[in-house]
Amino acid sequence: MLITTDPAAFRVALPQGGRLLGLDVGTKTIGTALCDAEWHFASPALLIRRTKFTADKAALAGLIAAQAVKGVVIGLPLNLDGSDSPRTQSTRAFARNCADLGPILLWDERWSTQAVERQMIAEDLSRAKRAERVDKLAASYILQGAIDALAMG
């Protein structure tokens, strides 16, 4: 299966479009988001509490099947200068281990959590509410950025 950082290559792998699943992969949770089949709007979905990789992957596979997802966008945590970090390497490994779930686009997520945090602070959400929502909202932010780029391609 395809794993790429190139939106054009990802688009070629999905000529009919279809729903996409966005992921913000953390060490304790996986934030998820879904978009419509025409790639217009991303919305937060489930928060998966990480356990063993096989259980995490099974949860993702169940979500993909239930929502008729055609491709996956995974946030890639690069360093601020664009270079890889240890988390980047673990995210790439996670993507390789999920390659059989469909085409995967690795999307630069450097500013996703900060942007989502700023928005929630502006909305005056408590720290506890921000903590429980940040990963799903970051996944939605990542997915929206990717589908905006896909729409331009």
Side-chain angles (χ1 to χ4, degrees):
M1 279 290 179
L2 174 75
I3 300 175
T4 184
T5 57
D6 179 11
F10 186 71
R11 178 180 268 294
V12 168
L14 296 167
Q16 306 301 316
R19 291 195 85 180
L20 300 177
L21 174 66
L23 302 179
D24 180 34
V25 180
T27 56
K28 295 181 179 152
T29 61
I30 301 171
T32 69
L34 293 161
C35 74
D36 59 297
E38 293 78 34
W39 302 346
H40 294 137
F41 304 103
S43 302
L46 303 174
L47 181 66
I48 298 170
R49 301 235 178 256
R50 295 197 68 181
T51 56
K52 293 187 184 290
F53 176 77
T54 51
D56 300 344
K57 186 175 177 183
L60 292 172
L63 182 57
I64 287 168
Q67 296 293 331
V69 168
K70 303 298 182 197
V72 180
V73 176
I74 300 176
L76 189 62
L78 299 169
N79 287 321
L80 290 180
D81 66 1
S83 63
D84 282 3
S85 69
R87 271 198 65 222
T88 308
Q89 296 304 323
S90 67
T91 300
R92 287 184 196 279
F94 183 90
R96 283 191 302 273
N97 290 328
C98 291
D100 59 333
L101 297 178
I104 294 175
L105 175 63
L106 297 173
W107 191 255
D108 182 353
E109 70 155 39
R110 278 179 276 187
W111 303 107
S112 61
T113 301
Q114 293 89 342
V116 167
E117 280 278 352
R118 277 195 303 273
Q119 181 62 35
M120 288 190 294
I121 289 168
E123 293 172 6
D124 205 26
L125 288 177
S126 70
R127 188 178 302 270
K129 287 191 180 193
R130 291 196 312 263
E132 72 186 37
R133 296 180 187 175
V134 69
D135 294 326
K136 294 188 300 187
L137 291 172
S140 182
Y141 185 90
I142 291 162
L143 182 55
Q144 188 66 54
I147 62 177
D148 288 349
L150 290 165
M152 289 191 284

